[in-house]
Amino acid sequence: MKSLGIYIHIPFCKQKCLYCDFLSFPEGREQQALYFDALKKEIELSAGECKDYEVTSVFIGGGTPTYPEPAYIADIMEIVKRDYNLSKDAEITIECNPGTADYKALRLYRDAGINRISIGLQSARNEELMALGRIHNRKQFEECYADARQAGFDNINVDLMSALPGQTLRDWENNLEYVCGLEPEPEHISAYSLIIEEGTPFYEMYGQDSSAVQGASEKNNGKGYLPLPDEDTEREMYHRTKEILEKYGYSRYEISNYAKDGYECRHNVRYWDCGDYIGFGLGAASLMKGVRYRNTPELPHYIEAYNATRTEVQELTKEEQMEEFMFLGLRMVRGVSGDEFKKRFSCEMADMFGDVIAELRGEELLEVTDEGIHLTDYGMDLSNYCMAKFLL
Ligand code: SF4
């Protein structure tokens, strides 16, 4: 039986963070109730098309899935368990923001079968949290983390974000040390850099181009905004992340993701492996049998039509599937397997990408092994440059 991942999107947040361009917004209880009705129907009605799959991961993301009433999530989990071939050891994750889930709620998620929680801390410094427009402070994170442990979660991710307004290298190092010093320490840490996305308040504050943050920060210094770190500091933060997390026993397995042995996020690895997944809820994306789909991002339309809003976006050609397989696979430290490439596409990786592989190898950005290819540390630093080379 082929394996499948399920993504479930919960688009509600208490308030919008200043940097956020995800499909999320504050909505009242009435809209939330209508949304969950539609979502439940969509999940029920889609079970037939997934009957030949074994579901090995479920990811409930957002938005803030722990913001609406927890009973909604428990109802959804009941449907998934009842109507889908959920494997016994499936990884089932919920995203959570501190301040939105107490012990009782966390216990309910755990009892519903959710076995992994991803907590959005972003920073351990209250000044940085305020600058980001987050709803919580460090103390609320500590309560949430302790409650999650007590509720029985033994697989916890903590999200951190670097290159924040006003952040120094030392501040970032302290944030990493703080998370590694939690007791017991988290099994997984995601460490992303802040990206200034168009359409967000940060874009108004920090300028037009996130690649020009140094210029942007200088430009805005006179306006009273905390400046963003310059590019050199940002690079240094990136390097120190790996050094510090490795010191505490975390291995980098993807550009921005670190885990203790055996705790890599299986759902995200599925995305990077180009495995099949189905997305439920507002704006959710799916990739099944080489075809990409997306649900409507319009809330009234989704509430009205749920199951009929999934539209085919693109049937990927063989070349497009090869490109994706390469540049998503190269995000991972283990890289791309030559055997897997041949199994999927019935041709040798070297026949399709031999020239690029030789070029990147010559620049010491990529290594070739008996199993396949992977980026070097230097290649990971220049991952955008390397991945662009694999576009056919
Ligand atoms: S909590 Fe997450 S999804 Fe919600 S506004 Fe903040 S960054 Fe966006």
Side-chain angles (χ1 to χ4, degrees), residues 19-40:
Y19 59 91
C20 177
D21 78 332
F22 298 137
L23 186 55
S24 69
F25 33 76
E27 274 291 352
R29 299 281 160 198
E30 205 178 308
Q31 289 295 302
Q32 290 181 20
L34 293 172
Y35 180 76
F36 278 99
D37 276 349
L39 183 60
K40 283 191 260 183

Side-chain angles (χ1 to χ4, degrees), residues 12-13 15-17 19-22 24 62-64 97 134:
F12 307 113
C13 287
Q15 73 180 32
K16 195 81 182 160
C17 302
Y19 59 91
C20 177
D21 78 332
F22 298 137
S24 69
T64 307
N97 279 318
R134 301 285 298 177

Side-chain angles (χ1 to χ4, degrees), residues 62 95 129 183 349 358 374:
E95 287 184 327
L129 291 169
E183 285 193 8
M349 192 195 291
H374 63 263

Side-chain angles (χ1 to χ4, degrees), residues 101-366:
D102 58 13
Y103 171 76
K104 206 169 136 220
L106 292 161
R107 186 71 227 187
L108 200 135
Y109 298 133
R110 188 69 195 89
D111 290 344
I114 297 169
N115 52 26
R116 182 173 185 273
I117 190 160
S118 175
I119 307 178
L121 168 63
Q122 315 310 350
S123 168
R125 296 182 70 232
N126 288 338
E127 306 92 294
E128 289 173 359
L129 291 169
M130 274 178 66
L132 290 172
R134 301 285 298 177
I135 57 167
H136 59 91
N137 57 32
R138 170 168 158 163
K139 185 163 173 286
Q140 285 170 303
F141 164 77
E142 285 168 0
E143 285 161 6
C144 180
Y145 188 82
D147 285 344
R149 285 293 187 204
Q150 211 190 335
F153 283 97
D154 56 9
N155 188 355
I156 300 185
N157 169 59
V158 176
D159 277 342
L160 278 177
M161 207 184 273
S162 63
L164 305 185
Q167 189 174 56
T168 64
L169 178 60
R170 191 68 211 132
D171 293 336
W172 174 239
E173 290 170 338
N174 287 341
N175 281 346
L176 290 167
E177 299 268 358
Y178 166 78
V179 172
C180 294
L182 290 167
E183 285 193 8
E185 59 201 4
E187 284 70 26
H188 190 286
I189 297 174
S190 295
Y192 290 94
S193 292
L194 171 69
I195 308 274
I196 307 295
E197 302 283 2
E198 212 170 333
T200 63
F202 266 17
Y203 191 78
E204 298 303 313
M205 293 159 73
Y206 290 109
Q208 314 299 307
D209 180 2
S210 61
S211 67
V213 285
Q214 186 175 11
S217 64
E218 282 164 3
K219 192 176 77 189
N220 287 304
N221 265 347
K223 298 187 184 171
Y225 308 142
L226 289 167
L228 294 169
D230 62 36
E231 256 179 78
D232 288 346
T233 309
E234 209 186 322
R235 287 324 296 165
E236 189 62 14
M237 287 175 172
Y238 176 78
H239 290 133
R240 288 293 291 144
T241 303
K242 184 166 182 278
E243 285 166 18
I244 292 174
L245 294 186
E246 283 184 349
K247 187 178 82 183
Y248 285 94
Y250 295 91
S251 303
R252 178 161 75 171
Y253 68 100
E254 192 269 345
I255 295 171
S256 307
N257 283 282
Y258 297 78
K260 297 276 177 177
D261 270 358
Y263 286 97
E264 297 81 9
C265 175
R266 278 189 261 152
H267 189 82
N268 284 340
V269 168
R270 165 178 299 282
Y271 292 145
W272 301 317
D273 272 340
C274 297
D276 283 1
Y277 58 90
I278 188 163
F280 299 128
L282 194 70
S286 308
L287 176 68
M288 289 174 83
K289 300 184 177 126
V291 184
R292 200 177 286 293
Y293 304 87
R294 186 170 287 279
N295 283 355
T296 178
E298 303 298 333
L299 187 62
H301 184 205
Y302 180 78
I303 286 174
E304 184 99 342
Y306 45 94
N307 205 43
T309 73
R310 189 180 309 149
T311 45
E312 183 175 323
V313 178
Q314 185 190 17
E315 179 161 358
L316 299 172
T317 63
K318 191 174 169 188
E319 278 72 26
E320 285 166 339
Q321 289 185 46
M322 285 181 186
E323 289 171 2
E324 284 209 359
F325 184 73
M326 297 306 288
F327 63 70
L328 288 174
L330 287 172
R331 295 184 64 89
M332 291 184 286
V333 169
R334 72 162 142 88
V336 180
S337 149
D339 285 350
E340 185 59 29
F341 186 93
K342 195 170 173 186
K343 200 167 108 194
R344 285 190 188 213
F345 304 114
S346 309
C347 62
E348 299 288 341
M349 192 195 291
D351 292 341
M352 294 306 301
F353 297 105
D355 292 348
V356 180
I357 291 171
E359 184 188 336
L360 294 178
R361 197 181 183 186
E363 295 173 84
E364 299 185 353
L365 294 163
L366 181 144

